[in-house]
Amino acid sequence: MKAREIEKGVYWVGAIDWDLRNFHGYLTQRGSTYNAYLIVDEKITLVDSVKSYLAEEMFQRISSIIDPSKIDYIVCNHVEMDHSGAIPMVVEKNPNVKVFASPKGVSGLKAHYKANWNFQEVKSGDEINLGSDKIQFLLTPMVHWPDNMIGYMPGKKILFSNDAFGQHLASSERFDDEYPLDIVMEEARKYYANIVLPYSSQVRKALEDAAKLDIKIIANSHGIIWRKHIPEIIKEYSDWSSNTVAKKALIVYDTMWGSTAKIADAIYDAFERKGYRIYKYNLQQNHISDIMTEVLSAEYICVGSPTLNKSLLPSVAAFLTYMQGLSPKNRKTIIFGSYGWAQQNIKDLEMYMNNCEFEIKHKINVNYIPDELQLEQIRKEVFEVL
Ligand code: FEO
């Protein structure tokens, strides 16, 4: 396990989580990477760390350059344990190491690790001198937690962006010109939709501040590092954070005896005739985090469920709870389903959609099984409201 130099005197010393498939509910089909960086200057500095169970991998990479006990400074851009998990072990090797974090970062580290380390709080505009270069800090609260900050090395033009611009992607390659760009972008989009989306207004503020910097490398903390396609990923972040939607409809549903599936198909026909791009997701076969990737730019998010025991099918309730937390804005919906003797399905779907503040364009609820006449009526009604 070796370090990789990303710029003179700056090394990637992270860890690759090849087998990770669940990141707090997010399906990580391609694993993940926790990117830590070692700066070798007059002050030896570690920027972020890795999950605790991969600490040994990080130490092996650091040891290929220097003795880890020689680290003088740790910059903790974000307390979440995928980045801070190995910091206690670095402090163990050198109890005098100085730990830089935002004020909320320091309190977060103390709460996580019951630590009484050599902390130094930093705020936007502060900088630390490393010798031949320095790190300037910018607090970016809520991208992804209240404690988040980013660091910029003006001499090397490296932005340590932490979660921003990341992707859950395990690879032996490190840079965006070494790995298929379409996969990197797809994973960056999924990451944004599932992690960053609720904080889009804070992202826009951070993008404005970052636009003032001359950036040669975006050294993010998950996945592939950006050096060739920086304008492209910044443009994507600008689009994703502005809630721009395409002429695109999602039809998300689960079905008990096939009735809700028939209605989903009737709704599909109406969107097709109106020229929409359509994604149909049966929740028995699709993961909610993959659906979120398409929610990011969908004008319509239609959701269907039959009534089950005075409520929704659990798969549908799980999707709606997840989406509601991620807060996509200003979308339209059609809610639909079937019932036997209780119409609680539509009431619950309506409640979720109101919580999401989506515009409900139509409601469809069919008793037991829709026949062809009813399905034709649904096609007609949906076509008319689009
Ligand atoms: Fe990658 Fe919010 O931690």
Side-chain angles (χ1 to χ4, degrees), residues 23 78 80 82-83 144-145 163 191 222:
F23 191 93
H78 181 24
E80 194 165 12
D82 48 336
H83 308 297
H144 161 223
W145 280 8
D163 276 342
Y191 188 90
H222 292 291

Side-chain angles (χ1 to χ4, degrees), residues 20 29 31 58 88 90 95 120 136 143 171 188 192 207 219 222 232 262 273 279 297 342 361 363:
L20 184 82
Q29 294 100 324
M58 180 187 80
V90 181
Q120 184 167 328
Q136 300 167 332
V143 191
S171 70
Y192 190 96
L207 285 173
H222 292 291
E232 290 97 315
K262 286 182 183 171
R273 282 167 56 215
Y279 294 74
S297 59
K361 298 288 283 186
K363 303 179 210 171

